[in-house]
Amino acid sequence: MPSDRGAINVTRSRPTHAMNEFARFLRTETVGGMVLLAATAVALVWANSPLSDLYTTIRDFHVGPAALHLDLSLAEWAKNGLLAIFFFVAGLELKRELVVGELSNFRSALLPVAGAAGGMVIPAALALAVSWGAPGATTAWAIPVATDIAFALGVLAITGSGMPSSARIFLLSLAVVDDLGAILIIAIVFPAGFSPIPFVAAIALCVLYAYLQKRRITTPFLYVPLALGTWVAVELSGVHATIAGVALGLLTRVRRDPYEKEAPAVRLEHRLQPWSAGFAVPVFAFFAAGVPVNGEALREIAVDRVAIAVMVGLVLGKLIGIFGTSLVAVKLKLASKPDDMAWRDMAAVAMLGGVGFTVSLLIAELSLADAAAERAKAAVLLASALASLLAAAMLIRRSRVHRVNNNEG
């Protein structure tokens, strides 16, 4: 269970505190999902209104020190800068899960790991098959591999209140592994003009960060400049700057010492997660989601094989990949399914995996250019909306079943 296990050493005590931490995480991500939805709606309405030129002007306004090659547009600052905070929090959560959480237990980890693997491979394969031969197909296959945890948890919280807690735990664990896969794809597939010297500098700064963690240094007067320096070095190296956030998150200590109330990873997550879910991701969405969705744009999407591939990958690929791989893993006795979670519950959660959004929008911007990227982003929005509606219908039905069963019991 994704909980405050960073405050637990060998024994897994204090279960009430652990459940409170898990509930806090869900509340933060759920509220963040609502803010994200609002930011997306504002961007879509504005970008398709008579004031669309103003939206474009704001989005493309450049600011930053040109001498450091950081004269970026506001959209690029949101994509490269603010999303680094989101990925730092994802790195913290991933490290905590791998060391002391659900993913640290081999058998418990296998089900969400298998589901996440299938939920990345099958959508990518379907997207590549549908778009094969079309311009951009060789990179656009990566767009539907990601699941947006904030949006997915928001839909689950609103429509799946009667679902067992194991469904939420499975979705969150799956999303953590999914984030790792998306991070690796971004780092490997989308480097832009790789420069070795800044990259070596970034590695050296990461080593220094790890050393300070090992020496139990806690002052922000060292870590904040170090984190900024790492981000600048990664940005200048050509590797996507969000990787800096992931790297530092994975290097943060997750086990507390006896004299500490909380481990550094838990403490940082408490402080940064509200900013990530409530500000960084919605601002990125505001600048990324402002795409045309008028009749002409929809007609263009309908004949664009890459856009169609993105939608097929997210809506069908995620469902087939997550559910199918999980089913195979359990049938082969490689993993165990929670007793209170039926296969129809699993199908509803798998459908939620089709909510691609944040990272899918990012990969669309990295893999395509100009009009093709706009159509792909519109496809991500449409597919995420469709997956949300289908998942909501399934979750409402399953929640009613669980409530009836609980009342009869």
Side-chain angles (χ1 to χ4, degrees):
M1 179 183 298
S3 58
D4 193 357
R5 291 190 183 89
I8 302 173
N9 286 325
V10 177
T11 60
R12 296 190 176 188
S13 57
R14 298 172 65 191
T16 302
H17 184 69
M19 287 301 296
N20 289 340
E21 172 62 19
F22 179 55
R24 183 203 63 79
F25 181 90
L26 288 176
R27 283 195 300 271
T28 303
E29 292 297 336
T30 300
V31 173
M34 299 302 101
V35 178
L36 177 61
L37 180 59
T40 302
V42 171
L44 283 171
V45 171
W46 194 347
N48 289 275
S49 75
L51 297 176
S52 59
D53 289 343
L54 177 60
Y55 172 84
T56 303
T57 300
I58 295 173
R59 183 191 63 191
D60 297 339
F61 180 76
H62 278 64
V63 63
L68 294 177
H69 303 287
L70 293 176
D71 182 20
L72 307 176
S73 68
L74 291 181
E76 288 172 326
W77 276 113
K79 178 175 68 176
N80 296 356
L82 290 180
L83 275 194
I85 300 173
F86 165 76
F87 277 102
F88 179 68
V89 173
L92 292 173
E93 178 66 19
L94 176 60
K95 175 71 175 289
R96 189 151 59 87
E97 284 296 304
L98 290 170
V99 176
V100 293
E102 279 296 309
L103 302 181
S104 65
N105 182 293
F106 182 73
R107 191 161 178 80
S108 297
L110 271 178
L111 187 63
V113 168
M120 289 184 284
V121 173
I122 301 302
L126 280 178
L128 190 59
V130 171
S131 62
W132 186 258
T138 54
T139 52
W141 59 266
I143 297 172
V145 304
T147 294
D148 189 283
I149 184 58
F151 243 136
L153 280 176
V155 174
L156 181 60
I158 294 171
T159 62
S161 58
M163 294 286 285
S165 60
S166 57
R168 294 169 174 80
I169 297 167
F170 174 79
L171 176 61
L172 193 54
S173 300
L174 179 143
V176 168
V177 181
D178 186 279
D179 281 343
L180 176 60
I183 289 162
L184 291 174
I185 289 173
I186 291 171
I188 296 171
V189 180
F190 301 111
F194 180 73
S195 299
I197 294 178
F199 186 72
V200 171
I203 292 176
L205 292 172
C206 285
V207 170
L208 177 57
Y209 181 93
Y211 174 75
L212 293 175
Q213 285 286 298
K214 186 176 180 62
R215 292 299 302 270
R216 301 318 195 245
I217 305 298
T218 59
T219 174
F221 295 106
L222 281 176
Y223 284 116
V224 171
L226 185 58
L228 291 175
T230 305
W231 180 86
V232 171
V234 173
E235 170 73 14
L236 296 179
S237 73
V239 177
H240 198 268
T242 53
I243 302 303
V246 179
L248 295 179
L250 290 173
L251 292 172
T252 304
R253 185 163 53 87
V254 296
R255 294 186 187 274
R256 74 174 181 92
D257 289 329
Y259 60 85
E260 292 179 307
K261 182 179 179 181
E262 294 177 318
V266 175
R267 187 168 60 250
L268 285 169
E269 205 172 324
H270 284 175
R271 293 176 179 176
L272 293 177
Q273 192 181 56
W275 288 101
S276 171
F279 179 73
V281 173
V283 170
F284 165 74
F286 172 76
F287 287 119
V291 295
V293 288
N294 51 34
E296 182 181 352
L298 293 176
R299 283 192 294 271
E300 291 177 354
I301 292 171
V303 296
D304 185 332
R305 283 202 290 140
V306 169
I308 295 171
V310 169
M311 298 183 68
V312 170
L314 282 172
V315 178
L316 290 181
K318 281 290 186 179
L319 174 62
I320 296 170
I322 295 172
F323 182 82
T325 309
S326 299
L327 178 64
V328 170
V330 171
K331 295 300 182 183
L332 294 178
K333 301 188 183 304
L334 298 175
S336 57
K337 180 176 67 65
D339 294 335
D340 61 349
M341 190 174 178
W343 282 114
R344 291 183 181 181
D345 299 332
M346 181 73 74
V349 174
M351 191 72 254
L352 269 179
V355 182
F357 218 80
T358 306
V359 180
S360 291
L361 290 175
L362 173 61
I363 296 177
E365 292 192 349
L366 295 174
S367 60
L368 299 168
D370 302 328
E374 297 294 290
R375 290 192 295 271
K377 290 194 291 183
V380 169
L381 297 176
L382 292 171
S384 297
L386 179 58
S388 297
L389 293 173
L390 293 173
M394 297 167 73
L395 289 167
I396 290 171
R397 169 62 182 163
R398 292 306 301 164
S399 292
R400 288 174 180 168
V401 171
H402 282 287
R403 289 193 186 98
V404 170
N405 292 339
N406 290 336
N407 290 335
E408 291 177 351

Coordinates of all heavy atoms in Angstrom, one line a residue, residues 159-208:
T159 N -16.6 8.3 -8.9 CA -17.6 7.3 -9.4 C -17.4 6.0 -8.8 O -18.3 5.1 -9.0 CB -17.5 7.2 -11.0 OG1 -16.1 6.7 -11.3 CG2 -17.7 8.5 -11.6
G160 N -16.3 5.7 -8.1 CA -16.0 4.4 -7.6 C -15.9 4.4 -6.1 O -15.1 3.6 -5.5
S161 N -16.7 5.1 -5.4 CA -16.6 5.2 -3.9 C -16.9 3.9 -3.3 O -16.5 3.7 -2.1 CB -17.6 6.3 -3.4 OG -18.9 6.0 -3.8
G162 N -17.7 3.0 -3.9 CA -18.0 1.7 -3.3 C -17.0 0.6 -3.7 O -17.2 -0.5 -3.2
M163 N -16.0 1.0 -4.4 CA -15.0 0.0 -4.8 C -14.1 -0.4 -3.6 O -13.9 0.4 -2.7 CB -14.1 0.5 -5.9 CG -14.9 0.8 -7.2 SD -15.3 -0.8 -8.1 CE -13.6 -1.2 -8.8
P164 N -13.6 -1.6 -3.6 CA -12.7 -2.0 -2.5 C -11.4 -1.2 -2.5 O -11.0 -0.7 -3.6 CB -12.4 -3.5 -2.8 CG -12.7 -3.7 -4.2 CD -13.8 -2.7 -4.6
S165 N -10.8 -1.1 -1.4 CA -9.5 -0.3 -1.3 C -8.4 -0.9 -2.2 O -7.5 -0.2 -2.6 CB -9.1 -0.1 0.1 OG -8.8 -1.4 0.7
S166 N -8.5 -2.2 -2.4 CA -7.5 -2.8 -3.2 C -7.4 -2.3 -4.6 O -6.4 -2.3 -5.3 CB -7.7 -4.4 -3.2 OG -9.0 -4.7 -3.7
A167 N -8.6 -1.8 -5.1 CA -8.7 -1.3 -6.5 C -7.8 0.0 -6.5 O -7.1 0.2 -7.5 CB -10.1 -1.0 -6.9
R168 N -7.9 0.8 -5.5 CA -7.2 2.1 -5.5 C -5.7 1.8 -5.3 O -4.9 2.4 -6.0 CB -7.7 2.9 -4.3 CG -9.1 3.4 -4.5 CD -9.6 4.1 -3.2 NE -10.9 4.7 -3.4 CZ -12.1 4.0 -3.4 NH1 -12.0 2.7 -3.2 NH2 -13.2 4.6 -3.5
I169 N -5.4 0.8 -4.5 CA -4.0 0.4 -4.3 C -3.4 -0.1 -5.6 O -2.2 0.3 -6.0 CB -3.8 -0.6 -3.2 CG1 -4.3 0.0 -1.9 CG2 -2.4 -1.1 -3.1 CD1 -4.5 -1.1 -0.8
F170 N -4.1 -0.9 -6.3 CA -3.7 -1.5 -7.6 C -3.4 -0.4 -8.6 O -2.4 -0.3 -9.3 CB -4.7 -2.5 -8.1 CG -4.3 -3.0 -9.5 CD1 -3.4 -4.0 -9.7 CD2 -5.0 -2.5 -10.6 CE1 -3.1 -4.5 -11.0 CE2 -4.7 -3.0 -11.9 CZ -3.7 -4.0 -12.1
L171 N -4.4 0.6 -8.7 CA -4.3 1.6 -9.7 C -3.0 2.5 -9.4 O -2.3 2.9 -10.3 CB -5.5 2.5 -9.7 CG -5.5 3.8 -10.6 CD1 -5.3 3.4 -12.0 CD2 -6.8 4.6 -10.4
L172 N -2.8 2.8 -8.1 CA -1.7 3.7 -7.7 C -0.4 3.0 -8.0 O 0.6 3.6 -8.5 CB -1.8 4.1 -6.3 CG -0.9 5.2 -5.8 CD1 -1.1 6.4 -6.6 CD2 -1.3 5.5 -4.3
S173 N -0.3 1.7 -7.6 CA 1.0 0.9 -7.8 C 1.2 0.8 -9.3 O 2.4 0.9 -9.8 CB 0.9 -0.4 -7.2 OG 0.7 -0.3 -5.8
L174 N 0.2 0.5 -10.1 CA 0.3 0.4 -11.5 C 0.8 1.7 -12.1 O 1.7 1.7 -13.0 CB -1.0 0.0 -12.2 CG -1.1 -0.1 -13.7 CD1 -2.0 -1.3 -14.0 CD2 -1.6 1.1 -14.4
A175 N 0.3 2.9 -11.7 CA 0.7 4.2 -12.2 C 2.1 4.5 -11.9 O 2.8 5.1 -12.7 CB -0.3 5.2 -11.7
V176 N 2.6 4.0 -10.7 CA 4.0 4.3 -10.3 C 4.9 3.6 -11.3 O 5.9 4.1 -11.8 CB 4.3 3.8 -8.9 CG1 5.7 3.8 -8.6 CG2 3.6 4.7 -7.9
V177 N 4.6 2.3 -11.6 CA 5.4 1.5 -12.6 C 5.3 2.1 -14.0 O 6.3 2.3 -14.7 CB 5.0 0.1 -12.6 CG1 5.9 -0.7 -13.6 CG2 5.1 -0.6 -11.2
D178 N 4.1 2.5 -14.3 CA 3.8 3.2 -15.6 C 4.6 4.5 -15.8 O 5.2 4.7 -16.8 CB 2.3 3.5 -15.7 CG 1.9 4.1 -17.0 OD1 2.1 5.3 -17.3 OD2 1.4 3.3 -17.8
D179 N 4.7 5.3 -14.7 CA 5.6 6.5 -14.7 C 7.0 6.1 -15.0 O 7.7 6.8 -15.8 CB 5.5 7.2 -13.4 CG 4.2 8.0 -13.2 OD1 3.6 8.3 -14.3 OD2 3.9 8.4 -12.1
L180 N 7.5 5.0 -14.4 CA 8.9 4.6 -14.6 C 9.1 4.3 -16.1 O 10.1 4.7 -16.7 CB 9.3 3.4 -13.8 CG 10.7 2.8 -14.0 CD1 11.7 3.9 -13.7 CD2 10.9 1.6 -13.1
G181 N 8.2 3.6 -16.7 CA 8.3 3.2 -18.1 C 8.3 4.5 -19.0 O 9.1 4.6 -19.9
A182 N 7.4 5.4 -18.7 CA 7.3 6.7 -19.5 C 8.6 7.5 -19.3 O 9.1 8.1 -20.3 CB 6.1 7.5 -19.0
I183 N 9.1 7.5 -18.1 CA 10.4 8.2 -17.9 C 11.5 7.6 -18.7 O 12.3 8.4 -19.3 CB 10.8 8.2 -16.4 CG1 9.8 9.0 -15.6 CG2 12.2 8.6 -16.1 CD1 9.8 8.7 -14.1
L184 N 11.6 6.3 -18.8 CA 12.7 5.7 -19.5 C 12.5 6.0 -21.0 O 13.5 6.2 -21.7 CB 12.6 4.1 -19.3 CG 13.1 3.7 -17.9 CD1 12.9 2.2 -17.7 CD2 14.5 4.0 -17.6
I185 N 11.3 6.0 -21.5 CA 11.0 6.3 -22.9 C 11.4 7.7 -23.2 O 12.1 8.0 -24.3 CB 9.5 6.1 -23.3 CG1 9.2 4.6 -23.3 CG2 9.2 6.7 -24.6 CD1 7.7 4.3 -23.4
I186 N 11.1 8.6 -22.4 CA 11.4 10.0 -22.6 C 13.0 10.2 -22.6 O 13.5 10.9 -23.5 CB 10.8 10.9 -21.5 CG1 9.3 11.0 -21.7 CG2 11.4 12.4 -21.6 CD1 8.6 11.7 -20.5
A187 N 13.6 9.5 -21.7 CA 15.1 9.7 -21.6 C 15.8 9.0 -22.8 O 16.8 9.6 -23.3 CB 15.6 9.0 -20.3
I188 N 15.3 7.9 -23.3 CA 16.0 7.1 -24.3 C 15.6 7.5 -25.7 O 16.5 7.7 -26.6 CB 15.8 5.6 -24.1 CG1 16.3 5.1 -22.8 CG2 16.4 4.8 -25.3 CD1 16.0 3.7 -22.4
V189 N 14.3 7.7 -25.9 CA 13.8 8.0 -27.3 C 13.9 9.4 -27.7 O 14.0 9.7 -28.9 CB 12.4 7.4 -27.4 CG1 11.8 7.6 -28.8 CG2 12.3 5.9 -27.0
F190 N 13.8 10.4 -26.8 CA 13.7 11.8 -27.1 C 14.8 12.7 -26.7 O 14.5 13.8 -26.2 CB 12.3 12.3 -26.6 CG 11.1 11.5 -27.2 CD1 10.4 10.7 -26.3 CD2 10.8 11.6 -28.5 CE1 9.3 10.0 -26.8 CE2 9.7 10.8 -29.0 CZ 9.0 10.1 -28.2
P191 N 16.0 12.3 -26.7 CA 17.1 13.3 -26.5 C 17.2 14.2 -27.6 O 17.0 13.8 -28.8 CB 18.4 12.4 -26.3 CG 18.1 11.2 -27.2 CD 16.6 11.0 -27.1
A192 N 17.5 15.5 -27.3 CA 17.6 16.5 -28.4 C 18.9 17.1 -28.4 O 19.3 17.9 -27.6 CB 16.5 17.6 -28.2
G193 N 19.8 16.8 -29.4 CA 21.1 17.4 -29.5 C 21.9 17.1 -28.3 O 22.3 18.1 -27.6
F194 N 22.2 15.9 -28.0 CA 22.9 15.5 -26.8 C 24.3 16.1 -26.7 O 25.1 16.1 -27.6 CB 23.1 14.0 -26.7 CG 23.8 13.5 -25.5 CD1 23.1 13.5 -24.3 CD2 25.1 13.0 -25.6 CE1 23.7 13.0 -23.1 CE2 25.7 12.6 -24.4 CZ 25.1 12.5 -23.2
S195 N 24.5 16.7 -25.5 CA 25.8 17.4 -25.2 C 26.5 16.7 -24.0 O 25.9 16.7 -22.9 CB 25.7 18.9 -24.9 OG 25.1 19.5 -26.0
P196 N 27.6 16.0 -24.1 CA 28.2 15.2 -23.1 C 28.7 16.0 -21.8 O 28.5 15.5 -20.7 CB 29.3 14.5 -23.7 CG 29.7 15.3 -24.9 CD 28.4 15.9 -25.4
I197 N 29.2 17.2 -22.0 CA 29.8 17.9 -20.9 C 28.7 18.3 -19.9 O 28.9 18.1 -18.7 CB 30.6 19.2 -21.4 CG1 31.8 18.7 -22.2 CG2 31.0 20.0 -20.2 CD1 32.6 19.9 -22.8
P198 N 27.6 19.0 -20.3 CA 26.5 19.2 -19.3 C 26.0 17.9 -18.7 O 25.6 17.9 -17.5 CB 25.5 20.0 -20.1 CG 26.2 20.5 -21.3 CD 27.2 19.5 -21.6
F199 N 25.9 16.9 -19.4 CA 25.4 15.6 -18.9 C 26.3 15.1 -17.8 O 25.9 14.6 -16.8 CB 25.3 14.6 -20.0 CG 24.6 13.3 -19.6 CD1 23.3 13.3 -19.3 CD2 25.4 12.1 -19.5 CE1 22.7 12.1 -19.0 CE2 24.8 10.9 -19.1 CZ 23.4 10.9 -18.8
V200 N 27.7 15.1 -18.0 CA 28.6 14.7 -17.0 C 28.5 15.6 -15.8 O 28.5 15.1 -14.6 CB 30.1 14.8 -17.6 CG1 31.1 14.5 -16.4 CG2 30.2 13.7 -18.6
A201 N 28.3 16.9 -16.0 CA 28.1 17.8 -14.8 C 26.8 17.4 -14.1 O 26.8 17.4 -12.8 CB 28.0 19.2 -15.3
A202 N 25.7 17.0 -14.8 CA 24.5 16.6 -14.1 C 24.7 15.3 -13.3 O 24.2 15.2 -12.2 CB 23.4 16.4 -15.2
I203 N 25.5 14.4 -13.8 CA 25.8 13.2 -13.1 C 26.6 13.5 -11.8 O 26.3 13.0 -10.7 CB 26.6 12.2 -14.0 CG1 25.7 11.7 -15.1 CG2 27.1 11.0 -13.1 CD1 26.4 10.8 -16.1
A204 N 27.6 14.4 -11.9 CA 28.4 14.8 -10.8 C 27.5 15.5 -9.7 O 27.7 15.2 -8.5 CB 29.5 15.8 -11.2
L205 N 26.6 16.3 -10.1 CA 25.7 16.9 -9.1 C 24.8 15.9 -8.5 O 24.5 16.0 -7.3 CB 24.9 18.0 -9.8 CG 25.6 19.2 -10.3 CD1 24.8 20.2 -11.1 CD2 26.2 20.0 -9.1
C206 N 24.3 14.9 -9.2 CA 23.5 13.8 -8.7 C 24.3 13.0 -7.7 O 23.8 12.6 -6.6 CB 23.0 12.9 -9.8 SG 21.6 13.6 -10.8
V207 N 25.6 12.8 -8.0 CA 26.5 12.0 -7.0 C 26.6 12.8 -5.7 O 26.6 12.3 -4.6 CB 27.8 11.8 -7.7 CG1 28.8 11.2 -6.6 CG2 27.7 10.8 -8.8
L208 N 26.8 14.2 -5.9 CA 26.9 15.0 -4.7 C 25.6 15.0 -3.9 O 25.6 14.9 -2.6 CB 27.2 16.4 -5.1 CG 27.3 17.5 -4.0 CD1 28.3 17.1 -3.0 CD2 27.6 18.9 -4.6

